[in-house]
Amino acid sequence: MLTLNKRNTKTWAALLFSGVLLFSMNTTGYAAVQSEPLPKPAWTSPSLMQSQVNTEKDVLIKEINAVPAKNLVYVHSSQPVTKTSSATTLAWQLDTLQALDATTGKVKWNYIFHEKSGPYTTYSDSIYTSYGTAYVYMEYSDGTKKVYSFNTSGKTNWVRTVNAPSDLYLLDDETLLVASSQGAQSNGSVRTAISLYDKKGKLLTEKTINGAVLQAGSDRIVVDASKRIKVGSYWQPAANPKVEIYDRSLTRLSFYQFPSNANTQGDGGGESLAILNDGSVIMRANFENTGNKLMGFGADGKLAWGRSIPGNAFIQTAGDGYTLFTGSKLELYNMKGKVTERTFKDQQPVLMQVKRTQDGQYQLDFAKTGYIVDPKTLEDVHVYTASASVPSIISPSTYVNNVLYTIQDDTLSKHVLKSMSAK
């Protein structure tokens, strides 16, 4: 449940889209928004697949990010490289960052993270600011590790070489945080170098702390300060970690030791650790004999409450609140308590997820119906259904400002939904 490493969380989980996921909305207490067929694409891009090297015919979409202010859509994709030798021990991939014109769908620029006869990518991650800067982290087959900053023209603002595996985060002022750690030492302890950069690439501050960064956002950094536990030849995080919370000045605000009967790595789905806009933190744990709880830490970093939740609840946050999706019920909470709920009836999905949209709303996509709902009320903003021209909506996607971008095979399509005022 709790992924103590960001690397395990940013992939498109195809299994989440693999069933027949039909439902109907219970409109009791809600003003129904008229359903609309998902419109034909305003445009469909050229193929996103690259042919510069001997890649397999497969494209993994790692991230789609629209930047309305710059009329751009970024697509970070990866293609497995065909292995030509039995001596190859690394899982290679060809990573690409493409920027498409949001009006036409034409590719404005394309950056390939590979030079002829040079090293391939073995791991990558990317994150984007509201003003269009793209930060991309790459690990290469020769052992090098780099952080790139791209402007909207496809030029690098700067490139930094880092000495250890790293994760990228954006704080609420869009300061870039780079957390680099060599992993567990011989005694199980972990040290992490934290570096903060402004949008020009200027190093604002840096500090090496004890522990591993679990999550960062708003004005908070959450750290697992426990020693690792050796299981066989591998170091594993502690099931009941000591959690420390820092602010952006890298000052420690508080710490909390989960009790010995707690396990933060077990149940449920969605966000097991999240930072809300006001700096509050929620973290999930399973307690022996009593079940799952969400632990809420206030903006001061101190433990404020623990709330029992179903073991199969899917958690998603947005703004200053969070939702629990359990079976057919979607519940909305803030740090003070429950706000509202709504129920979806009839056939239930085998596997389900609730996503946070780029503009901070909730998105639920099923086989034939999709919903965008208000993060403060759970009222419908859009209800869209598959149509003859768009037979399925189960695909990687991103939504912002009445526009839904979806991936079908190896192309990106733009669907413009009716605004509330136009309905």
Side-chain angles (χ1 to χ4, degrees), residues 171-172 217-221 246-249 253 275-277 279:
L171 302 184
D172 54 4
S218 185
D219 182 24
R220 295 292 180 265
I221 304 160
Y246 291 76
D247 63 16
R248 70 157 52 84
S249 69
L253 301 178
I275 301 170
L276 306 183
N277 283 358

Side-chain angles (χ1 to χ4, degrees), residues 120 216 275 285 294 324:
Y120 292 94
I275 301 170
L294 272 184
L324 301 179

Side-chain angles (χ1 to χ4, degrees), residues 178-195:
V178 181
S180 305
S181 177
Q182 295 284 2
Q185 305 303 304
S186 59
N187 65 351
S189 64
V190 176
R191 300 273 286 171
T192 298
I194 297 178
S195 305

Side-chain angles (χ1 to χ4, degrees), residues 71-276:
N71 199 43
L72 286 179
V73 187
Y74 288 115
V75 181
H76 175 194
S77 62
S78 178
Q79 292 173 235
V81 176
T82 303
K83 295 183 179 182
T84 57
S85 169
S86 59
T88 300
T89 58
L90 295 171
W92 285 353
Q93 59 196 47
L94 179 71
D95 271 79
T96 306
L97 182 65
Q98 299 182 64
L100 284 69
D101 187 302
T103 300
T104 65
K106 294 181 178 179
V107 177
K108 298 192 71 171
W109 53 264
N110 180 16
Y111 191 96
I112 299 174
F113 294 88
H114 170 72
E115 297 178 1
K116 188 176 181 180
S117 300
Y120 292 94
T121 308
T122 56
Y123 173 79
S124 63
D125 189 20
S126 57
I127 198 166
Y128 308 84
T129 70
S130 62
Y131 50 82
T133 298
Y135 296 111
V136 185
Y137 170 71
M138 291 285 164
E139 293 180 5
Y140 290 99
S141 54
D142 64 354
T144 57
K145 302 167 184 65
K146 295 182 179 181
V147 178
Y148 298 80
S149 171
F150 291 93
N151 63 31
T152 55
S153 299
K155 306 297 183 182
T156 52
N157 297 313
W158 49 264
V159 181
R160 300 277 189 275
T161 297
V162 292
N163 296 322
S166 302
D167 289 311
L168 307 182
Y169 304 91
L170 283 177
L171 302 184
D172 54 4
D173 60 354
E174 302 202 278
T175 296
L176 177 68
L177 185 152
V178 181
S180 305
S181 177
Q182 295 284 2
Q185 305 303 304
S186 59
N187 65 351
S189 64
V190 176
R191 300 273 286 171
T192 298
I194 297 178
S195 305
L196 298 178
Y197 297 92
D198 69 10
K199 63 182 179 181
K200 294 182 179 180
K202 178 183 177 181
L203 180 64
L204 300 175
T205 187
E206 61 182 344
K207 184 177 183 179
T208 298
I209 63 169
N210 291 316
V213 173
L214 299 176
Q215 185 61 270
S218 185
D219 182 24
R220 295 292 180 265
I221 304 160
V222 183
V223 173
D224 175 5
S226 323
K227 287 187 176 182
R228 295 292 193 255
I229 300 168
K230 198 162 191 179
V231 180
S233 58
Y234 296 96
W235 290 99
Q236 301 292 340
N240 57 319
K242 177 184 178 183
V243 173
E244 298 182 339
I245 299 178
Y246 291 76
D247 63 16
R248 70 157 52 84
S249 69
L250 303 185
T251 299
R252 194 181 76 169
L253 301 178
S254 65
F255 72 90
Y256 177 76
Q257 174 66 63
F258 276 85
S260 59
N261 67 336
N263 189 320
T264 61
Q265 302 174 56
D267 299 329
E271 293 182 290
S272 53
L273 167 63
I275 301 170
L276 306 183

